[in-house]
Amino acid sequence: MYTPVSHLRTILIPTDFSEVATRATDYALELAAQKGARVILMHAYYTPPVATSIPRELVDTMEAEKRTHAEQHLRQEAVRAARIAPTVDVSIHAESGEAIESIVRAAETLQASLIVLGTAGEKSISESILGSVATRVMESAACPVLTVPTTAGWRPIRQIAFACSPEDAAGEVLTSALEWAAPLRATIHCVYVGQGEEAQAESARMQARIADLQAAGKAVALSIRPEHDLRVGLMRCAEEIEADLIALVPRRRYRASDPAHETLLHHMTMHSRIPLLAFHF
């Protein structure tokens, strides 16, 4: 499922109140201000299982204290958000449970059209865990998920590098991606990596499809990459076109991705210096 940008109404921003999350919040606020969307700041708090011998009243008190603490920090962050983006409607939501499940559940309950998460790369164990959480949310959420690395500041989305298979180009995936990008007046650059005679034939079909879309006035281009690895080709294309966003579809096996290695989604989440969008069609 995906939500066109023109229908972007609610942006869910999970936060642990870290610098990484704060930068992602700032990015999301700029996007919300541009598109007239409202923002919900959320925090997932976790109360570990306790021995059954502990009185229920004490457990309930611990739970209530955690919620109060979470809501207090969320209100402080909402005040900061209001100063940054005074035209954006900002509300808060505290969710009990582990991070991944809580984020996915909150997005469904609150009918989020987009989730925005911060990532910090793979510099330490804690940052690797953070990236794994983002990857799992991208794989599990029904709505699009945008991850924002700490190196990325806000700038309008005009150029999008899109990991695109021949099947994507021929079917509804590319059509839907173009619909998503159109309100932003962004150009989608379809990135394809393939080797051999079969890949050459597929490239020719993709070129014909892109030419038809261009003739119909669509803002789309095709980048056939010489690299053997889609991960490398996607990153290099993004650098060449000065991409504002990299996009891909989770759960999709790309020809050039070796299943014995980390997935394309996880690799890009951990290593991209450009915001990454995962959407489902």
Side-chain angles (χ1 to χ4, degrees):
M1 184 179 74
Y2 83 104
T3 303
V5 175
S6 57
H7 299 154
L8 190 59
R9 294 290 179 262
T10 303
I11 300 177
L12 180 68
I13 311 174
T15 178
D16 59 1
F17 312 111
S18 65
E19 181 181 353
V20 174
T22 297
R23 291 184 68 87
T25 298
D26 293 350
Y27 185 100
L29 289 168
E30 294 284 0
L31 179 61
Q34 184 186 60
K35 300 310 301 177
R38 73 184 184 112
V39 157
I40 302 176
L41 299 169
M42 79 151 287
H43 177 72
Y45 62 94
Y46 178 63
T47 304
V50 296
T52 54
S53 59
I54 297 178
R56 184 67 218 178
E57 293 79 6
L58 180 57
V59 175
D60 291 342
T61 298
M62 293 169 57
E63 177 82 9
E65 288 177 350
K66 283 184 174 287
R67 174 173 287 274
T68 299
H69 181 75
E71 291 177 342
Q72 184 178 51
H73 282 280
L74 283 169
R75 282 193 290 270
Q76 292 172 354
E77 183 65 0
V79 170
R80 191 188 72 85
R83 290 198 301 265
I84 295 171
T87 62
V88 175
D89 178 10
V90 179
S91 59
I92 65 171
H93 177 78
E95 185 88 12
S96 175
E98 297 194 14
I100 297 166
E101 292 79 6
S102 296
I103 293 169
V104 172
R105 183 171 59 247
E108 182 176 353
T109 302
L110 301 170
Q111 298 183 321
S113 356
L114 179 69
I115 300 170
V116 178
L117 287 163
T119 57
E122 199 167 15
K123 300 175 184 177
S124 68
I125 293 176
S126 61
E127 289 169 347
S128 180
I129 292 172
L130 184 65
S132 296
V133 168
T135 301
R136 290 280 302 280
V137 171
M138 293 171 110
E139 291 171 339
S140 305
C143 66
V145 180
L146 178 65
T147 60
V148 182
T150 54
T151 53
W154 164 257
R155 63 183 188 185
I157 299 170
R158 295 289 182 262
Q159 305 296 331
I160 302 174
F162 177 42
C164 189
S165 70
E167 293 78 14
D168 292 337
E172 291 300 314
V173 170
L174 180 54
T175 301
S176 298
L178 288 166
E179 180 182 353
W180 192 94
L184 296 173
R185 298 182 181 178
T187 298
I188 288 187
H189 300 259
C190 299
V191 181
Y192 174 69
V193 172
Q195 305 294 325
E197 293 183 2
E198 182 181 355
Q200 291 179 355
E202 289 176 338
S203 297
R205 288 195 294 271
M206 290 183 73
Q207 287 175 322
R209 167 67 168 156
I210 298 301
D212 288 343
L213 289 169
Q214 290 172 336
K218 302 298 183 183
V220 62
L222 177 62
S223 177
I224 299 175
R225 306 300 305 178
E227 295 84 5
H228 293 272
D229 190 322
L230 178 57
R231 294 169 293 190
V232 177
L234 188 57
M235 292 291 284
R236 289 181 179 170
C237 176
E239 292 173 358
E240 290 170 7
I241 67 172
E242 298 184 352
D244 307 299
L245 187 68
I246 295 174
L248 49 77
V249 182
R251 305 192 190 100
R252 184 174 299 281
R253 176 165 293 179
Y254 296 88
R255 173 189 301 280
S257 296
D258 183 354
H261 293 78
E262 61 185 337
T263 65
L264 174 67
L265 177 61
H266 183 72
H267 177 89
M268 298 303 297
T269 302
M270 299 306 299
H271 301 289
S272 176
R273 298 172 63 86
I274 301 169
L276 176 68
L277 176 70
F279 43 17
H280 306 268
F281 299 111

